[in-house]
Amino acid sequence: IAAFNRLVGGLALLVALFLIAVPVAKELRTMLAYRRAASPVGAALAAFAHFQAEGADLATPRRTSESPLAYAARLARQRRASNADALALARICEAAAYSARGVTDAQAGDARALARRLRRSLWRSASWAQRCERLFSPAGLVAGRSGGGREQVRSSS
């Protein structure tokens, strides 16, 4: 019986560690993406990637052929995100990715603030099951995987 108790205790510890490690790893991934952004373009793209990851986990993933603007509009139509905030973030992202001028520091700061507001909106509109999946599913953490069909916007930096 002592061996069984140690086994159960060990399994309980592993489950607890998993339930802590996955959400922490997801938050660290987002923080590192922002820290690694060496320019306003990188910061704006990190902000959209943050929104896209949260949207994929809490609402619906971005389709492979879907532009940032189309994805933002789709989430807004589904009432999962604020239309004005989602479209503003997508426009900044597209300017960062495709404009020869890129974006300014102020626009990159706006993108980060928009991503935070959109995250709150997505969390409010998500079911408990979606919230649990977002927190505890390691699917988006697998290396080499874009996570739920998420396509990364190319960086022109």
Side-chain angles (χ1 to χ4, degrees):
I1 231 157
F4 177 75
N5 286 341
R6 281 194 303 271
L7 178 65
V8 169
L11 288 174
L13 180 63
L14 287 175
V15 168
L17 288 174
F18 177 83
L19 293 176
I20 293 168
V22 171
V24 168
K26 287 183 176 187
E27 289 305 311
L28 285 174
R29 176 192 59 197
T30 299
M31 286 176 28
L32 286 174
Y34 283 118
R35 280 205 176 127
R36 288 182 183 142
S39 67
V41 166
L45 294 175
F48 189 81
H50 180 196
F51 165 62
Q52 184 175 282
E54 295 288 332
D57 288 344
L58 294 168
T60 182
R62 184 172 156 206
R63 297 177 184 132
T64 303
S65 62
E66 198 167 34
S67 72
L69 200 55
Y71 179 61
R74 184 163 58 93
L75 286 183
R77 277 192 311 276
Q78 294 174 354
R79 300 189 191 289
R80 303 306 297 268
S82 158
N83 187 53
D85 288 350
L87 295 180
L89 178 58
R91 285 187 187 103
I92 293 170
C93 171
E94 288 188 346
Y98 304 114
S99 168
R101 292 181 310 209
V103 295
T104 65
D105 285 328
Q107 288 172 308
D110 290 346
R112 189 167 184 170
L114 288 163
R116 281 193 304 266
R117 281 203 308 262
L118 288 163
R119 178 184 184 173
R120 284 191 299 271
S121 175
L122 287 163
W123 274 89
R124 278 193 303 269
S125 69
S127 69
W128 281 103
Q130 289 168 320
R131 292 173 188 180
C132 287
E133 183 176 349
R134 159 55 183 91
L135 285 172
F136 304 117
S137 172
L141 295 174
V142 177
R145 182 183 157 181
S146 59
R150 286 176 255 164
E151 173 186 293
Q152 295 300 314
V153 176
R154 74 167 175 85
S155 172
S156 59
S157 54

